[in-house]
Amino acid sequence: MAWKNSGLMQTCSFLLLLILFLPCETTSSILTVNGKTENYVLDTQLGFQESLKCVVQNHTNEEELLWYREEETVDLKSGNKINSSSICVSSISENDNGVTFTCKLRRNQSVSISVVLNVIFPPFLSGDDFQTVEEGSNAKLVCNVKSNPQAQMMWYKNSGILSLEKNSHQVQQTSESLQLSITKVRKSDNGTYNCIANSALKTETKDFHLIVTDRAVGVPKEPIIAACVVIFLTLCFGLIARRKRIMKLCIKDKDPQSQTAL
């Protein structure tokens, strides 16, 4: 019994030593970007330049790194891949807002860290400045907006508060636009509509000019069609009425020829 216990102890000791001396994989390696060990949001502004440095921590062997902008790979020089890698985002614009940059281990891409750009910028407004509509038709004014943080939007008319009529005016706002729909436009809707965006950085205004023209007087089709039908029928009846006379003239023209032949 003692011999069996001794053999068991030797086997356990051997397994323990084997586990201890197995080559260690670098799965415990972690990545940092600008010294941060977790995903984070980087606040920046228009025109700024931001540098992102990714470093492998706790590695025993050389590790190659990859950078991604959203789903696209960032081209890196050969000396900017091993154990640490830096990229530079220059001339930051409003289009860079919300873009994600991710650093990954090539060997194990599940090891990664991401940075999201939060670009702060005042409101930018755009849209069709002039719109001409016929009285009685529908009109829609669309004020496109880009802003971070999101701006508070409102419509004015001729620099005064716009009175919205329940069955005529409808306002719809999204994160990207402010829309004003007018049903059955009237002459009183003619004027300049002011789209106002108010943020903590700036208040921006854009004017939209709505020109309401007189309702076009259309020529009724029914009387014209009826007149054409009447004229056609009159011609048909006239031809029928003169058919006998035309036939008689044709017979008279043939008689002299028959007599000559005799």
Side-chain angles (χ1 to χ4, degrees):
M1 185 71 179
W3 180 82
K4 290 183 178 180
N5 290 336
S6 176
L8 181 61
M9 290 294 294
Q10 288 179 358
T11 301
C12 293
S13 299
F14 174 76
L15 292 175
L16 180 61
L17 290 172
L18 182 63
I19 293 171
L20 291 175
F21 286 98
L22 281 174
C24 296
E25 294 289 338
T26 58
T27 54
S28 59
S29 297
I30 61 173
L31 301 179
T32 63
V33 171
N34 293 357
K36 299 183 183 296
T37 58
E38 296 181 352
N39 300 336
Y40 73 101
V41 176
L42 176 62
D43 293 334
T44 185
Q45 298 182 36
L46 297 179
F48 276 31
Q49 177 175 295
E50 298 292 348
S51 179
L52 305 176
K53 184 176 183 180
C54 181
V55 178
V56 186
Q57 305 287 350
N58 302 334
H59 65 91
T60 56
N61 299 315
E62 290 187 341
E63 296 282 5
E64 185 176 349
L65 295 171
L66 302 172
W67 271 106
Y68 289 86
R69 177 188 171 104
E70 298 294 343
E71 302 299 327
E72 297 183 2
T73 306
V74 178
D75 292 331
L76 300 174
K77 294 182 179 180
S78 57
N80 188 28
K81 296 181 179 180
I82 306 302
N83 295 335
S84 69
S85 178
S86 298
I87 60 173
C88 184
V89 187
S90 59
S91 301
I92 290 175
S93 70
E94 64 272 11
N95 295 325
D96 295 316
N97 185 48
V99 172
T100 301
F101 290 89
T102 304
C103 179
K104 297 182 179 183
L105 282 181
R106 176 181 286 277
R107 177 180 57 83
N108 181 6
Q109 295 192 26
S110 64
V111 180
S112 64
I113 185 171
S114 298
V115 181
V116 180
L117 297 185
N118 182 39
V119 184
I120 308 298
F121 58 93
F124 291 96
L125 303 180
S126 62
D128 295 334
D129 296 338
F130 291 88
Q131 188 174 155
T132 302
V133 296
E134 184 180 299
E135 186 178 7
S137 61
N138 299 331
K140 179 182 286 187
L141 304 178
V142 181
C143 179
N144 301 309
V145 58
K146 286 185 177 182
S147 179
N148 188 33
Q150 186 172 343
Q152 293 182 346
M153 308 287 293
M154 63 191 74
W155 282 108
Y156 276 58
K157 182 182 179 183
N158 298 327
S159 301
I161 296 176
L162 174 63
S163 299
L164 299 177
E165 297 184 17
K166 183 177 180 181
N167 297 325
S168 180
H169 299 82
Q170 183 178 3
V171 175
Q172 182 179 4
Q173 182 175 359
T174 67
S175 60
E176 298 179 348
S177 68
L178 179 68
Q179 301 181 14
L180 173 63
S181 300
I182 306 176
T183 304
K184 295 182 180 179
V185 173
R186 296 171 294 182
K187 283 289 187 178
S188 58
D189 293 316
N190 193 82
T192 299
Y193 292 79
N194 320 109
C195 175
I196 299 177
N198 185 22
S199 77
L201 301 176
K202 185 181 180 182
T203 298
E204 190 70 26
T205 302
K206 180 173 178 58
D207 294 337
F208 293 81
H209 305 282
L210 181 64
I211 302 171
V212 181
T213 60
D214 294 331
R215 188 194 302 267
V217 179
V219 178
K221 296 180 180 179
E222 290 80 3
I224 295 176
I225 295 174
C228 292
V229 171
V230 170
I231 294 172
F232 176 75
L233 293 175
T234 301
L235 291 173
C236 291
F237 288 135
L239 291 174
I240 293 172
R242 300 186 62 183
R243 180 173 178 274
K244 292 182 179 180
R245 184 179 178 185
I246 294 172
M247 292 298 294
K248 289 180 180 180
L249 291 174
C250 290
I251 292 172
K252 288 181 179 180
D253 291 339
K254 290 180 180 179
D255 288 343
Q257 294 178 0
S258 59
Q259 293 175 1
T260 305
L262 292 173

